[in-house]
Amino acid sequence: MLLPLVIWATAVLVAASFAIKRWWFPAPINAHAASFDSIFSVNLLIMGVIFFVAQALLGWLIWKHRDRGQQARHSEGSTRLEILWTSITLLLFVGAGLASTGLWYEVHLSALADAGLKIEVAAKQFAWSFRYPGPDGKFGKTDIKLVNDAAGNPFGIVENDPAGKDDIVSSALRVPAGRHVQLLLQSRDVIHNFFVRELRIKQDLVPGMTIPFRIRADKPGEYEIACSELCGLGHHQMRSVLVVVSQQDYDTWLRRQAAQR
Amino acid sequence: MAAPAGRPKVTNMNHGFLRRYLFSTDHKTIGLQYITLSIFAAFVGIALSVLMRFHLVYPESRWRLLETLWPDGAPGGVMTPELYLSLMTMHGTIMVFFLLTTVPQGGFGNYFLPLQIGAADMAFPRLNMLSFWTTFLSFVVLCAAFFVEGGAPLAGWTAYPPLSAVGQIAGPGQGLGQTLWVLSIALFCIASLMGAINFITTTLELRTRGMSLLRMPLTCWGWFTTAIISLFAFGVLLAGGVLLLLDREAGTSFFLPAGLMINDKLLANKGGSPLLFQHLFWFFGHPEVYIAILPGMGAVSTILATFSRKPVFGYRAMIWAMLIIGFLSFVVWGHHMFISGMSPYSSIAFSLLTVTVGVPSAIKTFNWLGTIWGGSLRLTTAMLFALGFVSVFISGGLTGLILGQPALDSYFHDTYFVVGHFHMIMGVATVFAAFAATFYWFPKMRGRMMNETLGRIHFYLTFIGVYAIFIPMHFAGIAGNPRRYADFAQFDFLKDLSFLHKATTHAAFFTAAVQLLFLFNFLWSWWKGPKAGQNPWHATTLEWTLPSPPPEENFGHNPPQVHRGPYDYSLPGAPKDFLMQQEER
Amino acid sequence: MNVAAPGARRRASHTGLYAFLCSVIMFFGAFTSAMVVRRGASNDWKGIPAPDLLWVNTGILALSSVAVEKARRHLREGNRKNFNIAWSTASLLGALFIAGQILVWKDLRAAGVFLNSHPGSAFFYVGTVAHAAHLAGGWIAMAFLNWQALRWTLGPGKRTAVDVASIYWHFLGLLWVYLLWLFRFWGN
Ligand code: HEM
Ligand SMILES: [Cu+2]
Ligand SMILES: [Cu+2]
């Protein structure tokens, strides 16, 4: 009769280890991350309650109906019960699914008044590069044949295109706090993934595609960017940082970088 | 496909050793061959995972053995990232294909489907033999990848192109190793298709008198549904594999877009779509998880009923749930691709379908609880594993509902949260069902009992062990830890998780070691176990009407006449607490 | 297997065949959707090569199906001699079709159209080779029956084998028509 005890103990330990939140999300740095956290909490609560009740019930049934020489009840089922639990779970599961679609819609589908700042992101085995259009607000032409990491041209910017003259290439992603930023995600070799924990979002970078991806960070600071799609032997070291600064600092930085070019 | 169905069974027993044990056409021998292959594959897979977990928490340590095994992969005895990733790839591939897909269907299904429906053999015994040997060849080809130049592939069991398609320049192991991987999977597809054809035909055509579809044990329904899913899924993977192979070897551009620059080398490919492969793969890949779990669901239902001395609660609901799962499993593949760059609108559709597929799984769980409710539970080892299955299925299924929501998956995709989820629901649940089935049917297959004391110890330690391994992985995932990282030293936020990973690793060592108890029990009981009677569990289905082990011709010239459903336990007014399917009263 | 039930073996063979056909349909279904997606994904679609010789091959394949049906009718009527003639004709035509396909591939190569030339050519080769491989399987079964028939060792029990081989053969004919439509009309 060990089993009910083991199941109960496991359920309590699992529930407790989720409850203490010792290993948990980093603090959110924007409204999206905050709503993510609350939606996740609600989900966790629902799942947690189901988990706990189901495991407790399982243990209790094993305990209560252990063989003590009693005759088992012959019962083939109950259509009423089937209908009941099918509809309850259907409502609950689909409800949970629907409840979070708003959050998804917001990030990927909602229209924006402010088109925001555009920054190109280029991934390769195993490094990140970021390109800013510079003061003219326009990206210069690129040519894959001109890509040369050693010469500091990971995007293959065409030398004599005037629009490209002031483009800024950086190995960290620096953005102004509180503004929408439109990332244009590209990969030149294999699939990578752009993931910032504090933003609670990630997106694959697929070769052959330019995937627009919107982010907004409100809280200044440095946050790690971790590649989250297996890209080869250096996958675990494909790191960069998202540097969120005030608009003022950002403008200064942009001006200084452009001047250096 | 000239089959000897309807003709007296070809017997192998009066032939030589080769025909009797190696190239036998008897479904029981073939079932045991599959089981043996799977047990071997499982221990290889476990060994690989132990090496991986060891490396993750002791990345610097030098280990002579590693250098001996992989001179290039572990110079000086320190594991390189490429070796780590190739161990990971092989672990996943071996476990998913050669354990989870092989033992429930090829192993137990082969052995018991004909017995449970009162047939003398599978419909196409020679095709059956061919399926096994193709599976075996597929395994050999896969393992050969370890021994070729560059070693085993490192693109994961999902083998996404371009990484898997551009060859050696993308990394060691992406040369010949990856080619062998694709070939192995293609062979596996062919073997599984042959198996599926056999299972479907056998179920539809070879049922004995009175064995209507709605009198079949749920195990048979599990194998039957699995076979149907396999039939529709593996052809698609095969097509994907063929195209991938051509991109690798023939210079086509199915999956490779223009302007690929790998390792500073510009490739000539044009126009292909990496997402296309993902669609083909997951169209197979999601049904695959149900291919793994459905036979286990069937076995657990039967075992719970037998040891509760009660009919399965909601027998028809269980069948409907399986069929609905089978159908829905083909329309949810996109939940593996929420963040892949496909249309965000389709994510919403896939998401709603995904949470819906949770419903039949929940129905099954409720019915399992209903089955033990009011029973008289005999906690044999088989029963312990079946109850343990219910527990881990609940734990693993609930996290699936979180992952099925794109907004939440945008954080959890490719983190350890996913690793925790699918190990619980796919790995552990299926393996628990396989353990339950082993303890339940070993007496029939061998005519001897397995040791119950050892079995119980094995169960409790494994049960605690798997929770100790896979629950912490969820926390690593919540903290954002990406999966498929060979090393956690490069990121600041990962340093905080070292305690978690240490704990996981030690739990893994412990649980892996505990599995030796099972191996010992299995082998010891095989030779030395006490004799089992014909029907040691007082079960109702047809295999228990035969001697243990059953004679080669099964029912011979008098196939049984079935009079009742599969779970007539504790019928009021009956003289004993079970009535077998062929008993009139 | 139920020895008592007559026709069990015949039914099993048919069920097995239909199950097999399902998996073949899935394979070519996946092939088709890959082609649709691939065409839509990029702007490098240059059509699919579909030489006129394909019409001739199609005619040959259609004739072989007709011969198969004739043979089956003769077999039902118990006319072994005519069965042998018709079945042999079908086998010959089948072999001719495969030879014709090989000729198509040779012509294309001579014209500089290779597997990796462009997406259309890649799908053409994959589709036709996959079809030919399935057909070759059917042809081997057909030739095996033919060999037995010509040696008069094709017992009455082989009706099932003849029927199964015929259904498979017709199926491959239909599949071919579908592929031809894809290549000649949809693809261009
Ligand atoms: C309640 C039902 C389930 C739901 C809602 C669900 C949902 C999901 C989702 C959304 C993912 C993708 C996560 C990601 O990659 O970001 C996933 C992964 C996975 N699931 Fe489930 N799942 C369920 C049941 C199952 C079952 C029954 C199995 C196996 C028997 C299974 C095996 C897997 C596996 C192997 C993966 C990992 C695939 C990979 O390598 O990416 N799941 N699940
Ligand atoms: Cu990466
Ligand atoms: Cu899935």
Side-chain angles (χ1 to χ4, degrees):
Chain A
M1 264 308 107
L2 204 49
L3 187 57
L5 295 179
V6 172
I7 290 180
W8 287 330
T10 309
V12 170
L13 279 176
V14 170
S17 59
F18 271 94
I20 58 167
K21 305 193 176 177
R22 166 64 183 80
W23 297 277
W24 214 249
F25 304 103
I29 57 167
N30 62 15
H32 168 83
S35 1
F36 175 98
D37 286 4
S38 58
I39 291 188
F40 179 78
S41 302
V42 173
N43 267 278
L44 194 65
L45 194 66
I46 299 174
M47 304 306 160
V49 169
I50 300 178
F51 167 81
F52 204 75
V53 170
Q55 302 284 2
L57 182 65
L58 178 65
W60 181 75
L61 289 175
I62 299 170
W63 173 258
K64 172 129 193 286
H65 300 292
R66 67 189 186 279
D67 177 19
R68 286 161 305 173
Q70 83 276 28
Q71 165 93 33
R73 183 155 43 82
H74 181 90
S75 146
E76 311 236 327
S78 148
T79 314
R80 279 237 306 285
L81 278 178
E82 301 287 349
I83 293 173
L84 183 73
W85 59 48
T86 305
S87 21
I88 291 181
T89 42
L90 188 67
L91 283 178
L92 194 66
F93 291 1
V94 175
L98 283 174
S100 69
T101 37
L103 200 58
W104 173 258
Y105 190 89
E106 228 172 76
V107 176
H108 290 276
L109 294 161
S110 65
L112 265 195
D114 157 30
L117 204 63
K118 279 199 165 63
I119 302 173
E120 276 188 6
V121 182
K124 67 154 202 161
Q125 289 179 321
F126 304 98
W128 299 95
S129 317
F130 305 92
R131 176 160 82 130
Y132 298 75
D136 68 350
K138 270 193 271 181
F139 287 111
K141 283 203 199 67
T142 59
D143 182 350
I144 180 89
K145 291 196 199 69
L146 300 177
V147 166
N148 189 337
D149 298 314
N153 192 2
F155 284 85
I157 301 173
V158 177
E159 197 58 49
N160 51 17
D161 180 19
K165 283 269 191 279
D166 62 345
D167 287 6
I168 296 159
V169 173
S170 157
S171 62
L173 176 57
R174 186 177 293 259
V175 300
R179 273 191 68 191
H180 283 290
V181 177
Q182 176 105 51
L183 300 180
L184 299 168
L185 305 179
Q186 298 161 354
S187 164
R188 78 160 85 133
D189 43 30
V190 300
I191 300 175
H192 302 274
N193 182 291
F194 178 90
F195 175 42
V196 178
R197 300 183 309 145
E198 289 79 0
L199 296 174
R200 307 282 191 274
I201 42 178
K202 59 177 47 147
Q203 175 62 52
D204 276 359
L205 294 85
V206 184
M209 291 169 79
T210 298
I211 299 174
F213 189 55
R214 212 156 63 205
I215 62 170
R216 199 187 93 181
D218 294 345
K219 202 161 148 252
E222 286 196 14
Y223 312 102
E224 290 179 295
I225 301 171
C227 178
S228 296
E229 195 67 66
L230 177 58
C231 57
L233 59 91
H235 176 45
H236 64 286
Q237 62 195 36
M238 191 162 158
R239 173 185 186 275
S240 181
V241 280
L242 168 69
V243 186
V244 183
V245 295
S246 68
Q247 181 73 45
Q248 216 173 12
D249 290 352
Y250 178 76
D251 292 336
T252 330
W253 175 79
L254 207 61
R255 237 177 293 118
R256 206 171 296 145
Q257 295 289 316
Q260 271 174 23
R261 283 244 359 182
Chain B
M1 227 175 283
R7 202 195 293 155
K9 175 164 170 157
V10 211
T11 56
N12 301 285
M13 274 321 195
N14 37 17
H15 289 83
F17 174 85
L18 274 187
R19 184 68 193 278
R20 201 188 303 176
Y21 295 111
L22 279 185
F23 299 104
S24 170
T25 53
D26 178 33
H27 69 102
K28 300 185 286 302
T29 309
I30 295 174
L32 286 173
Q33 288 174 322
Y34 270 115
I35 291 172
T36 314
L37 174 65
S38 289
I39 292 180
F40 180 74
F43 278 91
V44 173
I46 289 176
L48 297 179
S49 68
V50 166
L51 293 179
M52 285 156 62
R53 282 311 313 183
F54 185 82
H55 171 75
L56 285 180
V57 299
Y58 305 108
E60 311 284 277
S61 68
R62 300 173 169 275
W63 212 13
R64 267 260 97 88
L65 176 72
L66 276 185
E67 190 171 16
T68 321
L69 288 172
W70 290 282
D72 298 332
V78 179
M79 192 186 289
T80 55
E82 54 270 33
L83 178 59
Y84 175 85
L85 292 178
S86 66
L87 298 182
M88 181 238 9
T89 302
M90 296 295 268
H91 164 78
T93 311
I94 288 175
M95 288 304 206
V96 169
F97 290 99
F98 296 97
L99 176 65
L100 303 183
T101 314
T102 299
V103 87
Q105 187 85 352
F108 292 111
N110 243 313
Y111 202 110
F112 289 103
L113 174 67
L115 291 175
Q116 290 197 329
I117 60 173
D121 204 326
M122 294 292 265
F124 310 113
R126 262 171 275 163
L127 189 69
N128 202 15
M129 177 182 84
L130 197 60
S131 324
F132 171 73
W133 285 106
T134 311
T135 309
F136 181 80
L137 182 65
S138 159
F139 185 65
V140 171
V141 171
L142 183 69
C143 292
F146 269 129
F147 304 99
V148 298
E149 202 204 321
L154 45 73
W157 84 280
T158 49
Y160 283 4
L163 184 57
S164 62
V166 291
Q168 193 106 44
I169 46 170
Q174 291 315 92
L176 189 50
Q178 184 76 53
T179 303
L180 289 173
W181 186 94
V182 182
L183 285 175
S184 160
I185 295 309
L187 285 170
F188 193 90
C189 290
I190 295 170
S192 301
L193 287 173
M194 295 192 289
I197 292 168
N198 226 335
F199 273 78
I200 290 172
T201 312
T202 306
T203 312
L204 289 179
E205 303 297 346
L206 302 191
R207 277 171 290 121
T208 187
R209 286 165 296 161
M211 180 61 85
S212 62
L213 284 175
L214 287 179
R215 277 184 182 164
M216 287 202 307
L218 289 174
T219 37
C220 297
W221 274 103
W223 294 315
F224 183 49
T225 320
T226 300
I228 297 174
I229 301 177
S230 306
L231 190 72
F232 290 110
F234 275 105
V236 177
L237 180 63
L238 183 60
V242 168
L243 300 186
L244 183 58
L245 199 63
L246 292 175
D247 270 5
R248 291 179 56 77
E249 307 295 330
T252 54
S253 303
F254 296 109
F255 307 129
L256 295 177
L260 280 185
M261 187 172 189
I262 296 181
N263 233 330
D264 292 331
K265 188 166 160 271
L266 199 56
L267 303 192
N269 299 82
K270 269 210 290 266
S273 159
L275 290 192
L276 172 57
F277 180 84
Q278 296 184 24
H279 283 293
L280 293 173
F281 183 85
W282 288 116
F283 186 88
F284 149 82
H286 189 80
E288 161 63 24
V289 307
Y290 290 104
I291 291 173
I293 199 83
L294 281 174
M297 290 176 161
V300 163
S301 306
T302 296
I303 291 167
L304 288 179
T306 305
F307 294 109
S308 304
R309 315 309 294 161
K310 266 192 75 206
V312 168
F313 196 86
Y315 171 77
R316 281 179 190 231
M318 289 298 224
I319 295 173
W320 275 114
M322 283 201 224
L323 294 176
I324 292 173
I325 286 177
F327 173 74
L328 285 180
S329 70
F330 282 100
V331 292
V332 298
W333 78 89
H335 66 218
H336 298 271
M337 297 174 61
F338 289 146
I339 47 70
S340 68
M342 74 173 180
S343 150
Y345 287 106
S346 54
S347 292
I348 294 177
F350 278 125
S351 161
L352 293 179
L353 288 163
T354 298
V355 290
T356 313
V357 79
V359 174
S361 303
I363 295 177
K364 298 201 76 90
T365 309
F366 284 124
N367 281 303
W368 288 322
L369 294 176
T371 304
I372 59 174
W373 193 307
S376 175
L377 273 57
R378 325 260 144 107
L379 294 185
T380 59
T381 309
M383 183 64 163
L384 290 179
F385 272 110
L387 293 165
F389 171 96
V390 177
S391 171
V392 294
F393 189 75
I394 295 168
S395 309
L398 290 170
T399 47
L401 287 162
I402 290 178
L403 293 173
Q405 304 172 39
L408 300 181
D409 189 55
S410 296
Y411 184 88
F412 291 116
H413 174 78
D414 254 32
T415 63
Y416 266 86
F417 195 88
V418 174
V419 183
H421 157 71
F422 74 75
H423 274 92
M424 271 312 216
I425 193 127
M426 182 173 185
V428 178
T430 306
V431 166
F432 269 33
F435 279 140
T438 308
F439 279 91
Y440 181 65
W441 276 318
F442 188 91
K444 182 52 61 187
M445 296 190 290
R446 183 54 188 167
R448 292 174 189 276
M449 306 297 287
M450 282 181 81
N451 185 299
E452 282 288 316
T453 310
L454 217 50
R456 276 170 218 209
I457 296 173
H458 169 230
F459 165 76
Y460 282 112
L461 297 183
T462 307
F463 185 84
I464 295 167
V466 293
Y467 271 100
I469 299 172
F470 297 116
I471 292 299
M473 287 193 184
H474 291 78
F475 299 123
I478 291 177
N481 194 338
R483 69 194 267 217
R484 295 169 165 176
Y485 269 24
D487 181 328
F488 300 137
Q490 314 289 332
F491 285 83
D492 294 334
F493 77 92
L494 294 178
K495 296 195 178 122
D496 184 39
L497 305 176
S498 63
F499 173 78
L500 265 186
H501 283 297
K502 274 218 174 74
T504 305
T505 293
H506 287 106
F509 288 169
F510 169 78
T511 315
V514 167
Q515 301 319 303
L516 295 174
L517 279 182
F518 171 76
L519 193 64
F520 173 76
N521 194 351
F522 191 91
L523 293 175
W524 188 84
S525 309
W526 188 265
W527 307 112
K528 293 267 151 61
K531 283 260 183 296
Q534 180 162 315
N535 189 2
W537 312 124
H538 295 177
T540 50
T541 48
L542 292 181
E543 76 270 32
W544 304 106
T545 63
L546 292 173
S548 307
E552 204 201 344
E553 67 281 4
N554 293 356
F555 303 91
H557 287 285
N558 38 14
Q561 163 80 47
V562 168
H563 291 286
R564 56 184 64 253
Y567 303 114
D568 272 350
Y569 290 104
S570 305
L571 265 188
K576 49 188 178 19
D577 75 347
F578 67 109
L579 281 173
M580 301 187 73
Q581 287 198 272
Q582 90 294 2
E583 282 180 294
E584 270 184 82
R585 172 120 272 221
Chain C
M1 156 194 357
N2 195 335
V3 188
R9 183 177 161 218
R10 188 176 162 76
R11 279 212 320 274
S13 301
H14 278 85
T15 308
L17 172 73
Y18 288 123
F20 176 55
L21 296 190
C22 285
S23 70
V24 178
I25 289 174
M26 284 312 288
F27 178 89
F28 282 94
F31 168 81
T32 310
S33 51
M35 195 151 76
V36 174
V37 170
R38 176 65 179 78
R39 182 181 183 174
S42 303
N43 47 13
D44 65 341
W45 191 260
K46 294 208 196 87
I48 299 181
D52 291 337
L53 185 53
L54 290 179
W55 288 117
V56 180
N57 292 352
T58 309
I60 294 173
L61 196 59
L63 283 180
S64 81
S65 264
V66 173
V68 161
E69 273 314 293
K70 275 229 145 59
R72 278 172 80 191
R73 221 181 49 228
H74 292 309
L75 190 66
R76 269 200 300 275
E77 289 160 0
N79 190 338
R80 283 310 181 96
K81 193 160 148 275
N82 286 353
F83 168 80
N84 283 2
I85 294 172
W87 193 260
S88 307
T89 315
S91 312
L92 275 178
L93 288 170
L96 207 59
F97 173 83
I98 294 179
Q101 294 292 79
I102 293 174
L103 212 60
V104 168
W105 298 325
K106 271 188 75 175
D107 285 356
L108 282 178
R109 293 173 68 86
V113 182
F114 299 99
L115 177 65
N116 58 1
S117 296
H118 57 93
S121 72
F123 279 107
F124 179 81
Y125 279 106
V126 174
T128 48
V129 170
H131 176 262
H134 283 89
L135 198 98
W139 190 82
I140 288 170
M142 206 163 167
F144 176 70
L145 291 170
N146 208 339
W147 183 66
Q148 288 191 323
L150 293 179
R151 293 171 66 233
W152 306 104
T153 53
L154 190 72
K158 284 287 164 61
R159 265 279 298 285
T160 303
V162 169
D163 285 348
V164 165
S166 309
I167 296 171
Y168 184 53
W169 196 257
H170 296 324
F171 168 79
L172 289 173
L174 287 177
L175 181 62
W176 173 250
V177 172
Y178 166 70
L179 289 177
L180 187 72
W181 171 77
L182 271 183
F183 296 153
R184 285 235 29 146
F185 299 103
W186 176 84
N188 293 300

